[in-house]
Amino acid sequence: MSVSTRAVTTAALAALVAAASYVQPRPLPLVGAAVVLAVLVALGWPSLLRLPASGSTRVVVALCGVGGAAATYLTQGEPVLRHLPMVLAGAVVLAFIAQMLRRDGRPQLTESVSGTVAGVVAAIAASGWIAAARSDAGAALVVTSAVALAVAAAVAALPVRGWVALGISAVAAVVAGGAAGTLLPNIDTVSGLWCGLVAGVVVGALHLLLERLPARGARLAGLSASALPVAVCGIFVFVVGRMVIL
């Protein structure tokens, strides 16, 4: 999968998140979006990191990502993410059980366990979009961040590499976030700038990291790499909503 294709896919997934934030009953459609992100991350995660036992890795990452979305949606009151640590703890146990069930001599055992847990963290992070939609800014916060994320992904497709790409993505996302924050209700320009900065840094940093992985061009690996920025950005958007807006 080419860089431009991954950028378009990332932008489309960000648009999906933005659209889901406005569909009633809130935030149920965002649960569906978070599940889609978790499954997409899981599908290509073993190929992206070249992990053994790809089947069990996909199952653990997808199952825990879906569990995190369900736990966030079903949690009443504050703090809304209080059950995610239990999901993550269960994920670590599942990762070890999956390794115990392997019948291939367990090569690359350390890489497989650590890679699976890393994928679980990325998939669970998508639950942040659900929590962000339940904040005071609600849909405006989600849409502002998603717009900045889509712009950063588009800029990341430019023929630049390294720290320059990170800087350009951050600047473009800050501008887009500020503009969206100015136009949308329940959020202001400064909050939009913060959302843009977070989205730009996440997209730029992951682009800088993933360009070092030779497997990113494969179809499933590219799909996972495309969903990764949107999923990871969810938890950071929630943090911005709590620290800047509320």
Side-chain angles (χ1 to χ4, degrees), residues 14-219:
L16 171 66
V17 171
S21 67
Y22 274 106
V23 178
Q24 299 291 347
R26 301 175 189 167
L28 185 58
L30 270 174
V31 177
V35 169
V36 169
L37 291 172
V39 171
L40 291 179
V41 169
L43 284 176
W45 192 254
S47 301
L48 185 64
L49 298 188
R50 294 184 174 181
L51 300 177
S54 57
S56 60
T57 298
R58 291 189 183 101
V59 170
V60 172
V61 173
L63 183 62
C64 295
V66 172
T72 304
Y73 175 69
L74 295 174
T75 299
Q76 301 298 321
E78 296 290 343
V80 67
L81 296 181
R82 63 181 180 272
H83 293 132
L84 282 192
M86 290 186 287
V87 176
L88 184 56
V92 174
V93 174
L94 285 178
F96 278 104
I97 292 176
Q99 298 305 313
M100 293 170 62
L101 295 177
R102 289 173 61 184
R103 294 293 181 266
D104 57 356
R106 301 191 187 108
Q108 296 180 282
L109 179 60
T110 302
E111 293 89 341
S112 184
V113 173
S114 59
T116 300
V117 173
V120 166
V121 172
I124 289 178
S127 302
W129 291 110
I130 305 170
R134 293 169 61 175
S135 65
D136 287 350
L141 171 62
V142 174
V143 171
T144 299
S145 302
V147 168
L149 184 62
V151 171
V155 172
L158 295 176
V160 290
R161 294 292 182 269
W163 292 99
V164 175
L166 174 59
I168 295 175
S169 296
V171 171
V174 166
V175 173
T182 303
L183 297 174
L184 291 173
N186 301 324
I187 191 171
D188 55 33
T189 303
V190 174
S191 299
L193 292 173
W194 277 106
C195 292
L197 178 61
V198 168
V201 170
V202 169
V203 171
L206 288 176
H207 181 73
L208 185 63
L209 175 64
L210 293 176
E211 72 178 9
R212 302 174 184 271
L213 301 179
R216 70 188 185 281
R219 183 168 57 88

